[in-house]
Amino acid sequence: MKILIAEDEAVASSVLQLTLERMGHEVVVTRSGTEAWETFDRDPVRVVVSDWMMPGIDGLEFCRRIRARPETPYTYFILLTALSTSSENYDLATKASVDDFLTKPLHRSTLQMRLRVADRILWFTKEVRQLKQLIPICCCCRKINTGEEFWQQFETYIEQQTASRFSHGLCPQCMQVEMAKVDAESAP
């Protein structure tokens, strides 16, 4: 996986980078919350390992920005802290939509296990995203089921979902069929 590290302490950042690279991951290193956000915003990754306390924006705000970024595939966010793991800190992390919360110093086996969980969750989010992209359409009338037992015209549904606009015409084959119907109706 490609993993973004946001860690301001040089030694901790180097150890984390080396550990992740030895596990076979591609690593992008940033040294502040602001740099981490700018890097992510330019090129989103699927996994972030971020320190809580950093210069610029802290890890919680970094996570909030990732969650608020439009059109971004789900990112698994691991927050690191040297602070105590009190219920208050867990609550703050949960409210910021952090996925995982680890204390320093990190243990390689714990980090490896959490990254396996991240990989599974990201796989499931990809599957859900693909399923959500399927459009339930009636094979006879071509109406779309909006999920609320309401069937809507195809064009109306697409316009609402994508802001696309439709113009209507007839392809040559349908034109022949329609002309044949007109001819048949006007024949004695």
Side-chain angles (χ1 to χ4, degrees), residues 47-116:
V47 177
V48 170
V49 179
S50 175
D51 191 15
W52 183 327
M53 300 297 187
M54 294 183 291
I57 62 172
D58 67 11
L60 297 180
E61 178 60 24
F62 179 32
C63 185
R64 284 187 203 100
R65 289 184 185 193
I66 288 173
R67 298 293 184 240
R69 188 177 185 276
E71 312 261 338
T72 304
Y74 192 81
T75 300
Y76 194 85
F77 198 99
I78 299 173
L79 186 68
L80 306 177
T81 186
L83 301 174
S84 68
T85 53
S86 67
S87 59
E88 183 179 320
N89 285 343
Y90 281 120
D91 190 46
L92 289 170
T94 301
K95 286 179 180 172
S97 298
V98 167
D99 292 299
D100 219 330
F101 191 71
L102 298 175
T103 56
K104 296 178 186 179
L106 288 176
H107 299 283
R108 185 181 198 284
S109 59
T110 303
L111 182 60
Q112 190 169 24
M113 179 188 70
R114 301 299 171 87
L115 290 173
R116 285 186 190 135

Side-chain angles (χ1 to χ4, degrees), residues 18-160:
L18 186 58
T19 301
L20 292 171
E21 287 174 345
R22 285 186 176 162
M23 290 179 190
H25 301 290
E26 179 184 346
V27 180
V28 178
V29 179
T30 60
R31 297 299 172 115
S32 73
T34 305
E35 180 189 1
W37 167 245
E38 290 168 354
T39 301
F40 182 89
D41 195 37
R42 270 192 315 272
D43 186 22
V45 297
R46 300 299 306 274
V47 177
V48 170
V49 179
S50 175
D51 191 15
W52 183 327
M53 300 297 187
M54 294 183 291
I57 62 172
D58 67 11
L60 297 180
E61 178 60 24
F62 179 32
C63 185
R64 284 187 203 100
R65 289 184 185 193
I66 288 173
R67 298 293 184 240
R69 188 177 185 276
E71 312 261 338
T72 304
Y74 192 81
T75 300
Y76 194 85
F77 198 99
I78 299 173
L79 186 68
L80 306 177
T81 186
L83 301 174
S84 68
T85 53
S86 67
S87 59
E88 183 179 320
N89 285 343
Y90 281 120
D91 190 46
L92 289 170
T94 301
K95 286 179 180 172
S97 298
V98 167
D99 292 299
D100 219 330
F101 191 71
L102 298 175
T103 56
K104 296 178 186 179
L106 288 176
H107 299 283
R108 185 181 198 284
S109 59
T110 303
L111 182 60
Q112 190 169 24
M113 179 188 70
R114 301 299 171 87
L115 290 173
R116 285 186 190 135
V117 170
D119 190 43
R120 281 196 307 271
I121 288 174
L122 293 174
W123 184 84
F124 285 123
T125 60
K126 180 182 169 193
E127 290 291 306
V128 168
R129 188 177 189 144
Q130 288 174 343
L131 289 172
K132 288 175 81 174
Q133 291 173 347
L134 294 176
I135 299 174
I137 188 167
C138 175
C139 63
C140 294
C141 69
R142 313 301 274 179
K143 288 182 182 176
I144 306 289
N145 185 334
T146 63
E148 300 155 1
E149 293 305 315
F150 178 74
W151 291 84
Q152 192 173 44
Q153 290 293 329
F154 174 79
E155 291 89 347
T156 305
Y157 178 83
I158 297 298
E159 283 177 7
Q160 288 176 348

